Amino acid sequence: MQKIKLQVAVVLVGIAIVITTHHPPSACGQSFAPSDPLTETKAQHNQRMRWWREARFGMFIHWGLYAVPAGEYNGKRSERIGEWIMEWANIPRADYEKFTTQFDPVKFDAREWVRIAKDAGMKYIVITSKHHDGFALYDSKVSNYDIVDATPYKKDPIKALALEARKQGLKFCFYYSILDWHYPAAYVDAPGKDSTAGNRTTKLKPGGKEEYLKYMKAQLRELITSYDPAVLWFDGEWQEWWTEADGKELYKFVRGLKPNIIINNRVGRGRQGMQGMNKTDQVYAGDFGTPEQQIPANGLPGIDWESCMTMNTTWGFKFYDDKWKSGETLIRNLIDIASKGGNYLLNVGPTAEGLIPTPSVERLSEMGRWMKVNSEAIYATTASPFATQLAFGRATSKPGRVYLHVFDWPSDGKLTVPSFGRDVKKAFLLTAPKQRLKIEQTSSGTSVIVPAQAPDSIATVIVLETN
Ligand code: JFZ
């Protein structure tokens, strides 16, 4: 707990330093070049990343055995995240395994989950195939610790979701944890901790690493060959026994199985804490950075990244966590991230019955209402063309178009837009393309004459046509 807090503090200091120094793109050193034999040209790389860059918005799903205790064990609750209960409640493996008998998600409906994501405007789904607790949410042939072999449910929800996602046109992707609290060769060596409980770090018995690597690769092979995921989203890489060389090797292994798959930077040791972007001393494995619970202060030109965030304060379901972000905050986060050239991976934590919590569904449908009208200003856009952040909101860009996302509507009916190196030919509300808004060129840019009242109090999109 204290260690994590300290890490967060160190990371925050790190962010402060990043914010105050302006790096030209080339100095970032953050190219995610794959290593041999999968060297690809820049054009091939762009082609492989294309759908992901255009998508901008995805659903993260943390679902597993931890949904059974749902944040409470032996009457004990915690401020900590739900999927870490095996760690913070110090639950021995043998006791944690008992949750399998209560994991029976009879209300799970793959079609409904995918519909919820699609209606929100999400283009892809990343689900926990195996989290730190080691429990597989799919039918693994190399383990009995999975939903088909160990629970009364006996069915494979991953298979159903993969089929539904394909049917409804969403990309289907996997989270997979390198850290595994259940693997026999792994053990905990920490004061006051059961040696088989969860812990931030584990050790491996002699010979255990080779054995575990084989197991992990077998599971990844199953996941890739049976479900054809579009992304592999690794995690738990901060173990002392996991090296960057291991990460590069695993990256190669996964791309060897599916050459056009996309892999996050948590496969290796590049990530700088929760800030999520890579260190710059060398080229690290992985295709994109993974800021966690935060949005970078500035865009990172030429670098792919995705902010993953929760809607309340936990990833895995906790029945008493009601600290929900508002729909407005979530919509503005999506816009903020797009304006900096990143993707938004927004989490839901379904219950052990198989339901996405109602507050999450409500917020997602609110986002969907906004996206139905404004998604053109999100999908396939690139970062804001303005040198500094706009006072009234954010901007996204496409060839020939700049989208102004107005959070603070001008009280004098005049939106002051700084110049950005392109001529503004005309302006209109995205919702009313036929009604041109008057524009006035000023010494420092353009003024757009807008209606007195904001058409959308969360974010109104104004289109600037440029040459
Ligand atoms: C990780 C997971 O631990 C968490 O459960 C969730 O899946 C999230 C998306 O990713 O978050 C972290 C990452 C690093 C630390 C803690 C939580 N850390 O180094 O203490």
Side-chain angles (χ1 to χ4, degrees):
M1 182 70 194
Q2 260 156 349
K3 254 191 206 157
I4 294 176
K5 271 195 184 154
L6 197 75
Q7 273 217 342
V8 172
V10 170
V11 168
L12 288 177
V13 171
I15 293 167
I17 292 165
V18 171
I19 293 167
T20 50
T21 29
H22 183 79
H23 296 285
S26 59
C28 287
Q30 292 225 22
S31 60
F32 291 93
S35 19
D36 281 341
L38 289 157
T39 307
E40 56 191 353
T41 63
K42 190 85 199 143
Q44 286 167 328
H45 180 75
N46 289 339
Q47 186 53 34
R48 181 162 63 88
M49 296 301 294
R50 189 174 164 173
W51 75 263
W52 188 91
R53 288 173 180 163
E54 292 181 354
R56 296 282 101 152
F57 190 23
M59 175 182 272
F60 214 171
I61 304 179
H62 277 74
W63 199 35
L65 284 185
Y66 38 80
V68 173
E72 187 173 273
Y73 190 70
N74 285 341
K76 195 182 155 223
R77 297 184 188 182
S78 171
E79 289 297 301
R80 305 277 309 282
I81 43 188
E83 72 283 6
W84 276 62
I85 194 166
M86 188 172 166
E87 185 262 352
W88 55 256
N90 195 22
I91 308 176
R93 232 168 255 169
D95 290 330
Y96 192 85
E97 280 175 359
K98 292 177 191 158
F99 293 136
T100 53
T101 62
Q102 296 168 72
F103 194 45
D104 192 12
V106 290
K107 295 191 177 158
F108 168 71
D109 180 347
R111 177 152 39 128
E112 179 65 0
W113 283 22
V114 176
R115 183 200 63 76
I116 290 167
K118 187 173 182 162
D119 280 0
M122 292 161 155
K123 295 286 197 186
Y124 59 108
I125 292 173
V126 183
I127 188 164
T128 47
S129 60
K130 183 198 85 172
H131 204 267
H132 306 335
D133 65 4
F135 179 78
L137 203 55
Y138 70 101
D139 188 14
S140 176
K141 301 297 179 217
V142 296
S143 166
N144 291 324
Y145 199 47
D146 69 57
I147 190 163
V148 176
D149 298 327
T151 77
Y153 187 62
K154 291 193 173 66
K155 289 186 287 256
D156 182 347
I158 293 294
K159 196 171 172 187
L161 274 173
L163 289 170
E164 255 323 308
R166 190 143 311 130
K167 211 158 139 191
Q168 298 190 40
L170 276 78
K171 299 275 186 188
F172 187 65
C173 318
F174 286 130
Y175 169 107
Y176 187 90
S177 175
I178 293 167
L179 169 63
D180 189 321
W181 295 329
H182 188 267
Y183 193 73
Y187 67 98
V188 170
D189 177 19
K193 252 342 200 356
D194 185 281
S195 67
T196 68
N199 200 54
R200 211 181 84 80
T201 55
T202 58
K203 290 185 174 167
L204 291 171
K205 292 174 187 162
K209 183 168 172 181
E210 290 65 38
E211 201 185 290
Y212 178 60
L213 265 173
K214 238 191 243 165
Y215 174 74
M216 202 160 67
K217 284 181 174 175
Q219 288 208 321
L220 290 165
R221 185 186 290 278
E222 291 176 333
L223 288 169
I224 293 166
T225 55
S226 308
Y227 309 96
D228 195 30
V231 173
L232 256 165
W233 209 104
F234 285 100
D235 193 27
E237 84 291 2
W238 57 86
Q239 307 312 302
E240 179 232 302
W241 46 263
W242 189 253
T243 66
E244 173 58 21
D246 292 330
K248 288 200 166 82
E249 217 268 315
L250 194 60
Y251 180 95
K252 265 197 264 182
F253 173 78
V254 170
R255 287 213 38 222
L257 291 170
K258 178 169 177 166
N260 67 344
I261 202 167
I262 295 171
I263 303 168
N264 72 343
N265 69 341
R266 298 189 187 186
V267 68
R269 298 302 300 260
R271 176 167 75 112
Q272 310 176 66
M274 310 293 257
Q275 177 256 34
M277 303 312 296
N278 279 357
K279 291 170 270 184
T280 56
D281 59 324
Q282 58 159 295
V283 175
Y284 288 92
D287 299 313
F288 62 91
T290 52
E292 179 171 328
Q293 299 287 38
Q294 56 187 283
I295 301 172
N298 301 299
L300 302 150
I303 295 162
D304 293 300
W305 55 275
E306 171 191 70
S307 279
C308 56
M309 296 176 100
T310 52
M311 284 194 215
N312 50 0
T313 72
T314 183
W315 304 92
F317 180 65
K318 277 168 77 179
F319 69 88
Y320 52 89
D321 184 338
D322 55 8
K323 296 199 186 85
W324 298 98
K325 297 178 183 90
S326 67
E328 173 178 287
T329 297
L330 298 172
I331 290 167
R332 289 184 175 181
N333 281 351
L334 172 62
I335 295 167
D336 187 23
I337 288 167
S339 80
K340 293 166 181 171
N343 282 10
Y344 192 24
L345 187 63
L346 184 57
N347 184 73
V348 298
T351 67
E353 279 195 299
L355 296 175
I356 299 177
T358 304
S360 300
V361 177
E362 286 167 355
R363 280 155 183 80
L364 289 172
S365 60
E366 194 177 342
M367 295 184 87
R369 281 197 294 279
W370 189 88
M371 283 294 276
K372 236 143 252 153
V373 187
N374 298 294
S375 67
E376 183 195 318
I378 299 290
Y379 298 143
T381 59
T382 52
S384 166
F386 296 95
T388 55
Q389 195 163 286
L390 294 168
F392 56 77
R394 299 288 184 275
T396 52
S397 179
K398 268 184 203 172
R401 278 190 171 196
V402 168
Y403 301 95
L404 305 174
H405 302 250
V406 186
F407 299 166
D408 300 313
W409 199 252
S411 50
D412 61 356
K414 234 184 214 191
L415 193 71
T416 310
V417 184
S419 49
F420 54 97
R422 297 191 232 164
D423 289 336
V424 178
K425 298 285 176 214
K426 57 175 174 174
F428 51 88
L429 294 170
L430 181 58
T431 52
K434 284 181 191 132
Q435 282 162 253
R436 282 176 70 155
L437 298 175
K438 239 199 232 139
I439 48 179
E440 293 166 1
Q441 303 301 335
T442 68
S443 57
S444 59
T446 311
S447 286
V448 183
I449 313 304
V450 296
Q453 296 293 316
D456 186 326
S457 62
I458 293 176
T460 302
V461 176
I462 293 172
V463 183
L464 304 181
E465 274 195 7
T466 63
N467 50 357

